[in-house]
Every structure is written in C-alpha cells, then in structure tokens.
Amino acid sequence: MFSKKSILLLISLLPLYISLAIHWNSSLTPPFNLSHFPSTIRQQLAKSFSTISTSEMANKVVLRPTQERGHADHGWLKTFHTFSFASYQDWHHEKFGSLRVINEDRVAPKTGFGTHPHREFEIFSYIVNGELEHKDSMGNVEILRRGDLQMTSAGTGIAHSEKAHGGKEVHFLQIWALPSASRLQPKYFTRHFSDKEKTDTFVRIVAPATADGVTEERAASGPAPVHSPVTVYATLLSAGKSLAQEMKGTKGYAHVVMTSGYNESASQGATVKIDGQTLKEGDGAYIHVEAGKVDVENTGDRTAEIILFDLE
C-alpha cells in the first residue's frame, strides 16, 4: 500500500502521464514503452519511481524511552513495564501485535513471586543475571541461570512461583504473548543459549510451534515453541558491529537490556541504532516493518544485549 506521500507524488505526475499519452497517441494503461521517450523524460520518471520505492522501503521506528516506561520499586522487586501492567496503566501502550507484557525485573535474594495462577497466556522468562527458581502445578522444578529461557504455555490454567535463588539478585525479562487459540493444554519448555552463540549474530530463541526447526520437546536445542505469531531473536552485539535481521511480520519491537545496572533516569550505557534511531539500555522501539528487515548497529563503547520481536 502506498503512503500518503507517495500517493501525492503520483497525483502530481498525472499531467505528465496524460501529456505523454496524448503526444505519443498511446494508452494510459501501463506498461509504457519508455524507450520511445526522450532521455530527459525517462530520467524524470526513473527519479520519481525511485523516490516512491525508497519511501516505501523505510521502516517507521517509534522510540519507547526507558524513563517513560512504567516503573515500581517494591523493595524486594524493582521493575519496569513496557506495556500496561499492575498499577501502571497507559492506553497508548497496551500491547503490540500479540505482545502483551515486557517486564524487566530485578528480584532481591530470598524473595520473589509466590504461587499465583495464570491462564490463556504464553509466558516466557529470559534470564540476564543471577538464578531464578521456578516451581509450577505441572510438577516442574527448575533453577534457571544466565542464558536460560523458560516458556510456559498457560492454556486452560496453571499456578507457578518465581523466586530469586541463592544469595544474589536475579535480573530477568518477563514476557507474555497472547495465544493464537484458547483452551490449550498447559505445557512447559526450557532452552539454553550461550553468550558465545549470541555474540554478533541474532539467535532465534522463541518461534511459533509450527515453524521450521521448532520442537515441542520439554528440553531441546533450538527455539522454544510458542502458540502465538511471534518470533524472538537475541544478540550480544559488540561495539562497532552491525547486523541486519530479516523480518516476516509487519511489526517489530526491539528492547535493549539494562545490563550496566539498575537505572531510574534517562537511558545510558550500551548504545545502538535501530534503523538509524538511537537507543540505550532500557530503551525500546516499536517498528512498523516496510523494508522486510531491521538494521542494528552498535555505535557505543561496549557490548549491547538486544531482544528483537518479529510480530504479525
């Protein structure tokens, strides 16, 4: 679909097309035989269509600065909310595609979320630092560490607890997606992706259960299965490095993990550009995909940990 700018450009060229058709006694129906036109007209037409093509191929990026996210400090829990959650409610940021929750949580030692229920959500945790103890009503007991990812398809209903294990704080991303179908059978999956695997490349860590290379085994290699139209990539991008990730959906969301430490103020630390827009740790970006890919460049002085969502 053409943008408003492109439509206006086409309209402005109509007199040219009409005069050409009259002059050459040809039909207005394309394709035109451009080889018969004078070189100056061919160049003008080529420039016009190039302008349309370029404008259509650029992604639209809308920044989500870290200081504008929802935030709460409960003592035992320090958390940032990308979307409306708990006491933070903002109708401008309810969800994006099937993505409903991105919480960046830090849980103090020997504390955490007690046993509580969930249903009709696909819930996964991405461990940044520390150890997370998981227990659920399906009988799963797990200690998750950096590089681990756990995925719970809550379906008709489960109950679980998530607590900091050991004597250190646990820092993790809590992510929820809306399922493609209701009343699914609850399931639990774990995957591990090392820092080495993620260095300077995007690794697919979550993908639809029906996608190529995805298995519904409880613990396996490859991406964790999700019953939602969302694919998640992760990278540890070194300073000066660039990546381009092909996108199959019409929407994307990028999040730069706050790896340098807890920060309630404007973003700092690792610095990247997402399709030319600057983000630092804690920042995110809504991406309206037109180009079929997303370009990421580390313009800072340290490694950036980036999570990229490909959404319908």
Side-chain angles (χ1 to χ4, degrees):
M1 181 180 294
F2 287 131
S3 66
K4 182 178 179 182
K5 179 180 178 181
S6 299
I7 292 171
L8 291 173
L9 179 58
L10 284 170
I11 292 171
S12 70
L13 290 170
L14 277 176
L16 173 62
Y17 299 149
I18 293 169
S19 62
L20 286 172
I22 293 171
H23 182 73
W24 294 102
N25 193 26
S26 61
S27 168
L28 287 176
T29 304
F32 299 111
N33 188 354
L34 296 181
S35 63
H36 294 163
F37 297 152
S39 61
T40 54
I41 294 177
R42 291 203 305 269
Q43 291 171 4
Q44 183 178 351
L45 288 171
K47 182 178 180 181
S48 299
F49 288 123
S50 175
T51 301
I52 294 171
S53 175
T54 301
S55 66
E56 290 305 317
M57 293 298 286
N59 294 336
K60 179 182 178 182
V61 178
V62 180
L63 297 180
R64 180 73 164 119
T66 183
Q67 68 271 25
E68 295 180 9
R69 291 189 291 175
H71 171 252
D73 184 349
H74 301 291
W76 66 274
L77 169 67
K78 294 180 174 66
T79 181
F80 291 90
H81 308 308
T82 295
F83 302 105
S84 293
F85 192 87
S87 60
Y88 170 67
Q89 297 295 315
D90 184 342
W91 66 271
H92 294 289
H93 304 284
E94 292 287 343
K95 66 184 184 71
F96 196 56
S98 63
L99 192 56
R100 178 60 186 86
V101 171
I102 305 176
N103 290 347
E104 187 161 3
D105 292 340
R106 282 177 166 82
V107 177
K110 304 185 186 307
T111 67
F113 303 94
T115 302
H116 58 283
H118 288 285
R119 61 188 298 272
E120 304 297 357
F121 272 111
E122 304 287 284
I123 303 168
F124 39 104
S125 300
Y126 177 94
I127 313 304
V128 180
N129 272 314
E131 298 182 344
L132 182 71
E133 179 186 86
H134 170 94
K135 294 181 181 180
D136 65 42
S137 55
M138 294 179 281
N140 298 295
V141 179
E142 201 104 36
I143 305 298
L144 301 154
R145 299 173 176 85
R146 174 161 178 81
D148 288 338
L149 179 133
Q150 59 115 325
M151 163 71 191
T152 300
S153 181
T156 54
I158 58 100
H160 71 180
S161 64
E162 309 277 359
K163 297 182 178 181
H165 180 263
K168 295 183 179 180
E169 172 187 86
V170 61
H171 175 197
F172 68 106
L173 299 182
Q174 181 184 167
I175 302 163
W176 300 8
L178 298 166
S180 301
S182 60
R183 301 197 59 77
L184 295 169
Q185 178 185 350
K187 292 183 179 180
Y188 178 82
F189 308 95
T190 59
R191 299 290 187 267
H192 180 79
F193 304 94
S194 68
D195 284 1
K196 183 177 180 180
E197 287 178 88
K198 292 181 287 188
T199 297
D200 298 330
T201 188
F202 272 118
V203 176
R204 190 173 57 143
I205 61 173
V206 174
T210 55
D212 290 342
V214 180
T215 175
E216 292 208 48
E217 294 179 25
R218 183 190 182 281
S221 60
V226 63
H227 302 96
S228 182
V230 54
T231 301
V232 187
Y233 301 92
T235 186
L236 297 172
L237 192 61
S238 304
K241 296 289 187 178
S242 299
L243 289 174
Q245 177 57 50
E246 178 185 357
M247 302 288 278
K248 295 182 178 179
T250 59
K251 299 181 181 72
Y253 191 86
H255 177 75
V256 184
V257 181
M258 199 181 284
T259 51
S260 295
Y262 177 72
N263 172 34
E264 296 181 22
S265 305
S267 58
Q268 54 190 19
T271 306
V272 302
K273 284 190 175 181
I274 306 290
D275 288 325
Q277 297 287 329
T278 299
L279 288 79
K280 295 187 178 183
E281 292 179 20
D283 291 337
Y286 296 102
I287 306 168
H288 299 274
V289 180
E290 296 285 349
K293 65 183 179 71
V294 169
D295 292 318
V296 183
E297 178 187 5
N298 188 331
T299 57
D301 60 358
R302 68 195 74 179
T303 297
E305 187 158 8
I306 306 161
I307 310 297
L308 178 64
F309 300 83
D310 188 348
L311 304 153
E312 287 186 0

